[in-house]
Amino acid sequence: MQLTDEQEIICRHLSPALIIAAFAGTGKTTTLRAYAEKRPNQRMLYLAFNKETQVHANDTFPRHVTARTAHSLAYQAMKVNTTYTHKLGQYAPYQTIYDWLALPPEGLCQKSCIQVWLAVRETIDRFECSADLSIHANHVPGHAFIGLASQDDKYRYLAEIVRLARSYWAFMLDVHHPAGMSHNTYLKAWQITNPTLPPVDTLLFDECQDANPVMLALVTESQIRHRVFVGDTHQQIYAWRGAVNAMDTLIGDHCALTHSFRFGTEIADVANHWLRLKGEIHRLKGNPLKKSAVSVIDKMPYTLICRTNAAVFMNAVEAVNDGVPLHIVGGAKPLIDMVTSAYALFCHELSAVNTPRLKIFSDWDELVTVANETDDPELHYLIRLVKKYRHKITRLCQKIIERHLPDPDQAAVILTTAHKAKGSEWQQVKIHADFINDYEGDVIPDEEINLLYVACTRAMETLDVTEIDSLF
């Protein structure tokens, strides 16, 4: 294909560190592929954000480019398949964890056992996302100290949380201890060994706006001579996973991709509305050869992008009740399993809880307590759904499973969240009303703007923003 002037400049660049700001739909992967094709004698590593992107890159990039994820490199280096497989994704009941940590029944420093463990867990999560080599006080979340009156109490509690977090981290790495681990655990365990990346001449780091400090440390401390970073800071939507604004922390020469191949001027104008709210000085330019519109969508098929899983479920219920063929991005089963397990917990039927994420709870009250303590949006949406549908849940979930189509091309309505929509595109896109929230001072937080920007830029031909009109 014919490259744009912006793409040509990038492909000819000789900088040892090149940072490419690529707006939505501007062909960043095509640009990286063209960059690689112009350097057939260089060994290259394409670092992908997820497995799906890695597989696609291995199928489409030149043979001198190897595509991997950071987790796959760590998995191989740490020999996870022979050492830690039995620990991956294992969740222990809270009472079991209290016993492992030898927590007294009354808790510590006026904090209950649940509060202590949640502080320990978040401390470990923050450590696993950091570039630090050990757990220390800076990893303890500030909200853990709410309710402690004196400085002495706070210092004592801080020391206890750090001690307990270090103990539990050791449990996670102990192949003989039953404590489970996540994929982030072995990635972190690899990073603190000061590892070396595969011997290549050039690194291509895609979607780096969503990188956390662990991944940045692996890349920036490597000895690879040429590094190309590409991403869109306005598509950073994983701060809750520890992602940082990586594009602003990198040092090197800067280029930009601003011409969208996906949609025309009208949809680009909506995208630029969100960009202006963040103070972006560059404009996303629509494709003049693409006919697009921002208008009401009254004909199927279309994709409905929601802010929450709760809205996805409620619209799935509406679709099956109306006899509308539907497809849920990521499949219906993960969503249905979570909802039915939550309802089973509500009904005190612990044997029917089949989702590991919820098996840790001894009863419904414990789930509600944790949801309130952590402000976990996933738990809150489950609570809302159970309270809304109650005894109807089992029948509704069965109907969704029966009516769900595995092939999205056969569906009249595709349902997704903005997080799951990232990287995809559809002809017609509607934005759901659950993006509207009571923002403090009517100022939309940057990460919410990023979600709106991601959602709106999935449309290729028609974008319907009627339900969020009040945000403009």
Side-chain angles (χ1 to χ4, degrees):
M1 63 171 287
Q2 181 69 37
L3 298 178
T4 66
D5 291 343
E6 291 176 333
Q7 290 174 318
E8 286 285 1
I9 290 172
I10 290 168
C11 289
R12 292 197 302 264
H13 223 292
L14 301 177
S15 172
L18 182 59
I19 303 158
I20 306 168
F23 286 159
T26 55
K28 62 182 178 60
T29 304
T30 301
T31 305
L32 288 178
R33 188 162 54 242
Y35 181 95
E37 288 169 349
K38 290 183 179 293
R39 295 160 175 80
N41 297 321
Q42 291 187 14
R43 297 166 302 167
M44 295 190 179
L45 172 65
Y46 174 93
L47 199 59
F49 186 68
N50 56 42
K51 184 69 175 179
E52 183 181 2
T53 305
Q54 174 197 336
V55 171
H56 179 71
N58 273 327
D59 290 340
T60 57
F61 272 67
R63 294 181 63 182
H64 63 282
V65 180
T66 300
R68 300 289 299 271
T69 64
H71 284 87
S72 73
L73 293 171
Y75 190 95
Q76 181 180 21
M78 298 298 292
K79 298 181 173 59
V80 174
N81 61 325
T82 58
T83 55
Y84 292 123
T85 303
H86 63 292
K87 294 171 72 77
L88 283 175
Q90 295 300 309
Y91 294 87
Y94 281 2
Q95 186 57 56
T96 300
I97 294 172
Y98 305 156
D99 292 341
W100 290 342
L101 294 175
L103 291 179
E106 68 276 12
L108 295 171
C109 302
Q110 306 163 48
K111 296 284 187 176
S112 67
C113 288
I114 285 183
Q115 291 174 314
V116 173
W117 165 241
L118 292 176
V120 169
R121 189 183 72 181
E122 187 171 350
T123 298
I124 294 173
D125 289 344
R126 287 159 65 103
F127 166 65
E128 288 183 341
C129 291
S130 75
D132 300 319
L133 301 181
S134 62
I135 296 174
H136 52 68
N138 287 348
H139 300 126
V140 180
H143 61 77
F145 304 103
I146 294 174
L148 297 179
S150 71
Q151 283 298 114
D152 285 346
D153 285 344
K154 291 178 181 178
Y155 283 128
R156 187 165 61 253
Y157 190 56
L158 173 65
E160 283 294 300
I161 296 301
V162 171
R163 180 184 66 81
L164 292 169
R166 288 173 176 171
S167 295
Y168 201 82
W169 170 254
F171 295 162
M172 294 162 72
L173 296 184
D174 183 347
V175 295
H176 302 296
H177 196 283
M181 65 159 55
S182 71
H183 292 280
N184 284 341
T185 305
Y186 65 75
L187 177 64
K188 181 63 183 179
W190 183 51
Q191 180 255 328
I192 62 179
T193 66
N194 191 27
T196 57
L197 294 178
V200 295
D201 304 302
T202 301
L203 172 74
L204 308 175
F205 191 3
D206 200 0
E207 298 284 0
C208 73
Q209 78 279 348
D210 283 323
N212 59 30
V214 169
M215 296 178 66
L216 287 178
L218 290 170
V219 170
T220 56
E221 295 172 12
S222 71
Q223 300 303 309
I224 298 175
R225 287 186 301 162
H226 297 280
R227 288 170 287 180
V228 180
F229 304 92
V230 61
D232 183 353
T233 185
H234 306 297
Q235 292 192 61
Q236 185 206 348
I237 58 174
Y238 292 106
W240 52 279
R241 287 186 185 173
V244 296
N245 195 357
M247 299 292 289
D248 289 345
T249 67
L250 299 169
I251 298 174
D253 294 318
H254 291 260
C255 290
L257 293 171
T258 62
H259 294 268
S260 180
F261 296 97
R262 182 179 297 156
F263 42 72
T265 303
E266 295 80 4
I267 294 174
D269 287 343
V270 174
N272 284 317
H273 167 77
W274 306 123
L275 296 179
R276 280 193 297 272
L277 290 182
K278 295 182 63 185
E280 174 60 63
I281 59 174
H282 296 99
R283 284 180 59 81
L284 173 59
K285 303 175 183 69
N287 186 345
L289 301 179
K290 282 273 191 179
K291 183 180 179 182
S292 65
V294 179
S295 62
V296 174
I297 294 173
D298 53 15
K299 289 191 299 186
M300 299 176 185
Y302 62 80
T303 297
L304 179 65
I305 301 181
C306 306
R307 173 67 180 85
T308 63
N309 281 303
V312 170
F313 183 84
M314 287 187 281
N315 279 276
V317 169
E318 185 177 326
V320 297
N321 285 339
D322 293 342
V324 176
L326 83 151
H327 172 82
I328 298 173
V329 174
K333 191 174 185 304
L335 178 64
I336 296 304
D337 283 350
M338 285 293 284
V339 174
T340 54
S341 290
Y343 182 61
L345 201 60
F346 178 78
C347 296
H348 308 289
E349 298 174 358
L350 297 185
S351 62
V353 179
N354 58 16
T355 303
R357 174 73 172 82
L358 299 185
K359 277 183 176 293
I360 60 176
F361 298 110
S362 58
D363 55 37
W364 177 256
D365 289 341
E366 191 172 59
L367 181 148
V368 173
T369 299
V370 172
N372 292 332
E373 287 285 344
T374 62
D375 201 23
D376 186 317
E378 185 175 27
L379 295 181
H380 280 305
Y381 99 72
L382 289 172
I383 293 168
R384 289 200 304 273
L385 291 178
V386 169
K387 287 183 176 179
K388 178 178 175 67
Y389 295 107
R390 293 183 182 260
H391 66 279
K392 299 177 183 177
I393 281 180
T394 302
R395 181 176 57 83
L396 291 173
C397 287
Q398 186 59 41
K399 287 177 68 175
I400 292 172
I401 290 291
E402 291 172 355
R403 304 282 179 84
H404 181 265
L405 298 173
D407 183 358
D409 293 335
Q410 296 180 4
V413 173
I414 296 173
L415 299 173
T416 183
T417 62
H419 285 97
K420 288 185 179 141
K422 192 171 177 220
S424 300
E425 58 186 22
W426 296 277
Q427 300 295 329
Q428 295 201 117
V429 169
K430 283 186 176 184
I431 309 300
H432 191 262
D434 72 332
F435 279 91
I436 297 175
N437 210 329
D438 294 326
Y439 300 113
E440 186 174 346
D442 291 329
V443 177
I444 307 177
D446 279 358
E447 183 145 347
E448 292 299 311
I449 296 175
N450 290 354
L451 280 170
L452 287 160
Y453 169 74
V454 167
C456 291
T457 54
R458 301 310 96 194
M460 300 169 67
E461 290 186 0
T462 309
L463 173 65
D464 186 345
V465 291
T466 307
E467 293 189 21
I468 60 165
D469 192 56
S470 63
L471 296 180
F472 288 90

